[in-house]
Amino acid sequence: KNEVEQSPQNLTAQEGEFITINCSYSVGISALHWLQQHPGGGIVSLFMLSSGKKKHGRLIATINIQEKHSSLHITASHPRDSAVYICAAAYSGGGADGLTFGKGTHLIIQP
Amino acid sequence: DGGITQSPKYLFRKEGQNVTLSCEQNLNHDAMYWYRQDPGQGLRLIYYSQIVNDFQKGDIAEGYSVSREKKESFPLTVTSAQKNPTAFYLCASNAGRWYAGELFFGEGSRLTVL
């Protein structure tokens, strides 16, 4: 089964710090999703990317296809960014069961 | 506003009982999915449907059943055959081939078996 590894599992930082969450996957993909899970459990899609870089507000997602690696960056972090961040890799040629999720990174931003 | 509505948010069940979790979307999406989330694990696919009146098993379908009689509705039944049903359940949808479109999720349903 295709594997998706996230690091770190847990991250605590101070408000204003620059945050990086990493995601590695094992085989070629069609797309990679970054998701945010709120403390209440609901999940919101942040990015879907297949190459390069995307930016939305203080969030930046990058992907390196050759290295099979993606990063999610948060600039000027804020306590409201505290959440679980999940990456999910969509594998080329796969069906719905070809979407593999990482275990998530639990981020806490302290004021 | 368009979105996915899951209900109930919390559900308690006695062993041996079947329960049904509701998932409704008004996004006009063809594809709908049910995932299970357990502590320390990634989301795992239970069932998915890419069109009305059709659905396929995911990785962990045993002990679950679904129906897709309407485009907007994809209910999940957790049967008494599911050996460890206590978990957080998430419904999702997207417009077509899942890897080509943004995923939308509901707020989840937390099932506890007493």
Side-chain angles (χ1 to χ4, degrees):
Chain A
K1 182 89 175 159
N2 299 314
E3 298 290 335
V4 173
E5 298 289 337
Q6 281 187 244
S7 63
Q9 281 187 294
N10 298 285
L11 177 58
T12 299
Q14 295 298 312
E15 183 174 357
E17 287 189 36
F18 181 82
I19 304 299
T20 296
I21 299 171
N22 298 298
C23 177
S24 297
Y25 50 91
S26 56
V27 299
I29 62 170
S30 297
L32 188 126
H33 297 260
W34 279 103
L35 310 169
Q36 180 191 53
Q37 185 167 30
H38 302 305
I43 292 178
V44 173
S45 176
L46 298 175
F47 297 103
M48 186 184 71
L49 65 166
S50 56
S51 65
K53 174 180 174 178
K54 287 190 176 181
K55 185 175 188 290
H56 181 69
R58 295 181 295 106
L59 301 177
I60 303 166
T62 64
I63 189 167
N64 184 317
I65 299 296
Q66 286 72 32
E67 295 185 3
K68 297 184 176 57
H69 181 268
S70 176
S71 293
L72 177 69
H73 305 286
I74 305 174
T75 62
S77 60
H78 189 276
R80 65 174 174 267
D81 297 324
S82 299
V84 177
Y85 292 84
I86 300 169
C87 72
Y91 288 92
S92 306
D97 58 352
L99 185 63
T100 303
F101 293 83
K103 294 180 180 180
T105 294
H106 189 193
L107 174 66
I108 297 174
I109 304 297
Q110 295 178 334
Chain B
D1 289 335
I4 298 179
T5 301
Q6 287 187 240
S7 63
K9 192 168 178 64
Y10 299 96
L11 184 60
F12 297 89
R13 187 196 92 174
K14 293 181 180 179
E15 284 193 17
Q17 288 181 334
N18 292 355
V19 293
T20 296
L21 308 180
S22 170
C23 177
E24 303 279 330
Q25 54 101 355
N26 60 2
L27 299 163
N28 199 34
H29 285 170
D30 287 313
M32 298 186 74
Y33 315 87
W34 273 106
Y35 291 97
R36 170 179 171 141
Q37 187 178 38
D38 295 283
Q41 295 194 40
L43 274 69
R44 292 182 290 167
L45 182 66
I46 304 172
Y47 268 98
Y48 65 100
S49 168
Q50 294 181 315
I51 195 169
V52 174
N53 292 322
D54 188 47
F55 48 83
Q56 283 77 43
K57 294 181 179 180
D59 295 326
I60 55 166
E62 185 175 352
Y64 299 98
S65 66
V66 293
S67 63
R68 187 83 187 276
E69 297 177 1
K70 298 184 295 182
K71 187 176 186 178
E72 59 270 24
S73 179
F74 191 41
L76 173 75
T77 297
V78 185
T79 75
S80 56
Q82 168 50 234
K83 294 176 182 173
N84 186 20
T86 294
F88 189 61
Y89 293 89
L90 283 153
C91 179
S93 74
N94 73 348
R97 300 297 293 276
W98 48 269
Y99 54 79
E102 180 184 358
L103 288 165
F104 291 80
F105 286 85
E107 290 293 308
S109 294
R110 189 169 299 279
L111 172 63
T112 302
V113 174
L114 303 173

